[in-house]
Amino acid sequence: MLHFDPATTSGSAVASLFRVWWSLRETGPGHRPEAAELAGAVEEMFAGLDPDGPPAQVEPPGTGEVFTVFGLRYDRADALLVAGVIPGEHAAAAVELDGDETDFTRWIDTFRAESGAAAATAARAQVEGGDY
C-alpha cells in the first residue's frame, strides 16, 4: 500500500487530486470521471511548474516536526477556531462523532512546522484561504 505525508507539498497535492477525482465522481449516479476531466484537473494543479526547475518547487526541505491541528471551522467566515495541537500525525485516527454544531464544522489536518503555534497559524491560513 502506498503511503504519503499530507504535511508535505507532494502529499497535499495527492490529497487535493483525490478530492478533485472524488468530486468528479459525485456529479451523478454511477458517473466515472472521463480521462480528459481528470487530465484537465491535473494540468490545472501543475500550472506554473517548470519541468526543468529545481526540485524545491515541488517539495520544500523537510524542516520542522509534524503536528496535528484540531478545531472548529466557522462556516460563515472561513475562520478556524483551533482547539488543540499535538505532535505527530493523528488526522487519520480521528473519529467523527455525531453532533450538531450550527455554523461550525469539525476540522482536523496535519502540518509540518517548527512549533505547535506555527502549525496552528498554518491551519488558520489554510482555512482563511479557502483551501480545506
Side-chain angles (χ1 to χ4, degrees):
M1 173 180 249
L2 181 64
H3 295 281
F4 65 95
D5 181 356
T8 66
T9 302
S10 60
S12 177
V14 170
S16 179
L17 181 59
F18 173 77
R19 287 189 294 272
V20 167
W21 173 76
W22 191 256
S23 70
L24 291 172
R25 285 190 60 186
E26 293 296 307
T27 59
H31 178 76
R32 286 187 62 116
E34 296 288 327
E37 289 177 295
L38 196 53
V42 170
E43 186 176 339
E44 188 176 306
M45 287 176 65
F46 297 149
L49 291 180
D50 178 8
D52 297 321
Q57 72 178 338
V58 293
E59 191 65 61
T63 61
E65 297 178 55
V66 174
F67 293 92
T68 300
V69 180
F70 300 84
L72 289 174
R73 187 183 78 223
Y74 183 49
D75 299 329
R76 293 186 183 188
D78 282 340
L80 180 66
L81 305 172
V82 175
V85 179
I86 59 174
E89 186 172 342
H90 303 285
V95 176
E96 182 67 31
L97 302 174
D98 290 334
D100 183 18
E101 293 89 16
T102 305
D103 298 327
F104 290 93
T105 302
R106 293 176 187 151
W107 190 92
I108 184 172
D109 208 344
T110 304
F111 294 87
R112 185 169 297 280
E114 295 298 324
S115 67
T121 298
R124 287 186 191 100
Q126 178 177 310
V127 171
E128 289 170 4
D131 184 26
Y132 46 84

